Amino acid sequence: MSSIENFLNARSRLIKTFASEKSDQLFALSQDPSNDELREQIHASLKRWFAERFTFTLADHKGTDLIRDL
């Protein structure tokens, strides 16, 4: 396996772990996308979990992006 594949696999596991551990917050935001306080909490968590810049999106049931590029 190449180093790029290793990196992508590790990143994928980290994203899945983040989504699992923060599922309550992410679900709550999907139910109330205008909740700026919750959005900021998620943003702060993302910055701690992922020190490098990346794109993360979360869509509601209509496909509307709930989290802009962070």
Side-chain angles (χ1 to χ4, degrees), residues 19-58:
S20 175
E21 290 191 11
K22 301 295 181 180
S23 63
D24 291 344
Q25 286 181 324
L26 295 171
F27 178 77
L29 183 61
S30 73
Q31 299 301 302
D32 183 11
S34 63
N35 186 333
D36 290 333
E37 182 179 335
L38 184 54
R39 184 181 302 275
E40 287 302 316
Q41 289 173 6
I42 293 170
H43 180 80
S45 292
L46 284 168
K47 287 183 4 182
R48 283 191 303 273
W49 275 65
F50 304 95
E52 303 159 7
R53 183 174 168 79
F54 77 104
T55 300
F56 182 91
T57 59
L58 174 72

Side-chain angles (χ1 to χ4, degrees), residues 46 61-62:
L46 284 168
H61 66 284
K62 296 177 186 173

